[in-house]
Amino acid sequence: YTAGPDFAFRLAVRMVDPATVDLSSLRFVKSGGEPVRWSSVKAFEERFSLPGGVVVPGYGLGEATLGVTEHVPGENVPVDERGNVSCGAANPGLEVEAGSSAHASREILVRGETVFAGYFEAPGETGRILRDGWLHTGDTGYLDSDGRLFVLGRREGMIKRAGSLIAPRELEEAAQRAEGVRVAAATSIRDAQDHTDVIVVAVEAEVSSRRPADQIAGDVSREVVATLGFAPGRVCVLPPRSIPRTENGKVRHSRLQTLLHEGLCDGAPAQ
C-alpha cells in the first residue's frame, strides 16, 4: 500500500523506467491531495503494467485526521462529463455536504468524529474554519445521487467564465497533452483596462524540448479549444521552475495569480 498526489503519478510515468522497479507486491495506491485526473490513473497503471483498479481516488485533509471519502480497490470509479473523478462516499462516522452538480458546486463541508478540535493556540483561525460543527475545507465540489464526492479544486483557484466556474484541472489536463509541455497551471486575472477576467494558462516546457515557445503556446491553445470549446485568453511559455509550487510539489494557484499581476508573463512568448 502507498499513496500520493496526482502529480506524483504523472512524474512517475514520465521519469521512472518500469524496468528499474518491482511493483509486483503493490495492491492498493491512494490518489489524493489534489484533484485526481483519470488520465494520470490510467497512464500510471498502464506504464507499470498494473491491473485496473489499483489506483484508488480519495479525499481528505489533516483537519479531518486525513481520510474523508474513498473508493475501495476494484470498485467502479465514475468520471463525469467534464472529467472530474469521483473520490468515493464518506467514511463511517463522517458527513459531507457539497454542491449538487459540476455546474452547481460549492464549498465542501465535513462533520464527524474524526474532525479536529481546533488549531493549537489559534482560536481565531479555528473559529474561521469550524462553524456550527462543520469543518469548512476551502475546497469546492459536489455530491452525486449516490453520495460520491467529486472534488473540483480550491475555492480561490476556481476560474469564472460566462457565469460558470471552471476547475483549473480542466485546462491544465488539456494543456499537458501538447507536445513539449512539462507542467501546466491555469488561473484567471483581472484585466486592468476593461475589468474582465482573462483566463491564463502558464506552461513550462520540457528541458529537452527544442520546439519554439510560440509553437508550444499555439498547441496548448488548440488542445484547450478541442477539449473545452474555447481558447484561453493567454498562454505563456515560461522557463523551468517558474510556476509556483508548494514544498511537496502542488501548484500554488493564488500565488500564480499574484505573479501574473506582477508581470510573470511579460516578455514570454504567448498565443
Side-chain angles (χ1 to χ4, degrees):
Y1 167 81
T2 189
D6 191 271
F7 75 84
F9 298 97
R10 301 198 302 271
L11 285 174
V13 168
R14 191 172 77 242
M15 301 178 67
V16 179
D17 181 353
T20 65
V21 295
D22 179 5
L23 300 184
S24 61
S25 64
L26 192 59
R27 296 290 180 268
F28 180 27
V29 187
K30 177 69 68 67
S31 177
E34 64 175 351
V36 178
R37 302 180 186 181
W38 194 239
S39 59
S40 302
V41 172
K42 302 313 295 180
F44 182 82
E45 291 177 340
E46 292 170 5
R47 172 76 168 162
F48 296 97
S49 301
L50 298 171
V54 169
V55 180
V56 181
Y59 171 73
L61 65 165
E63 291 85 349
T65 322
L66 202 57
V68 173
T69 71
E70 63 182 323
H71 283 283
V72 298
E75 185 178 30
N76 177 54
V77 178
V79 182
D80 73 13
E81 71 280 0
R82 291 174 60 169
N84 300 307
V85 180
S86 166
C87 289
N91 289 331
L94 290 176
E95 298 176 69
V96 176
E97 286 195 355
S100 57
S101 72
H103 304 283
S105 61
R106 63 181 179 85
E107 185 177 17
I108 299 168
L109 307 182
V110 181
R111 180 169 66 182
E113 56 192 25
T114 63
V115 172
F116 80 150
Y119 296 112
F120 182 65
E121 295 185 349
E125 185 67 9
T126 297
R128 183 191 66 79
I129 197 170
L130 282 178
R131 303 197 297 272
D132 299 322
W134 289 96
L135 170 64
H136 290 245
T137 66
D139 294 317
T140 293
Y142 74 93
L143 295 166
D144 69 8
S145 58
D146 293 314
R148 295 173 296 210
L149 180 66
F150 291 74
V151 181
L152 306 187
R154 298 293 293 171
R155 289 181 69 194
E156 68 269 20
M158 298 297 288
I159 297 169
K160 295 180 181 179
R161 182 182 184 275
S164 62
L165 294 178
I166 302 171
R169 175 205 56 79
E170 296 186 55
L171 292 118
E172 293 163 359
E173 194 166 6
Q176 290 202 228
R177 286 196 286 270
E179 182 184 348
V181 172
R182 179 175 181 269
V183 178
T187 188
S188 62
I189 58 174
R190 199 73 170 170
D191 186 276
Q193 295 183 345
D194 60 15
H195 305 290
T196 58
D197 290 323
V198 178
I199 297 176
V200 180
V201 178
V203 301
E204 295 176 10
E206 293 279 6
V207 176
S208 60
S209 176
R210 296 184 178 180
R211 302 191 70 217
D214 58 343
Q215 288 186 13
I216 294 175
D219 285 352
V220 167
S221 185
R222 283 186 283 274
E223 289 288 353
V224 172
V225 171
T227 302
L228 300 177
F230 64 86
R234 184 172 189 188
V235 177
C236 54
V237 181
L238 302 170
R241 295 180 291 279
S242 296
I243 295 174
R245 277 161 274 188
T246 64
E247 291 297 325
N248 62 8
K250 290 189 286 187
V251 171
R252 299 171 59 195
H253 291 92
S254 59
R255 177 59 179 162
L256 176 62
Q257 275 187 326
T258 300
L259 292 176
L260 289 170
H261 279 295
E262 294 175 353
L264 177 65
C265 280
D266 291 352
Q271 178 70 26

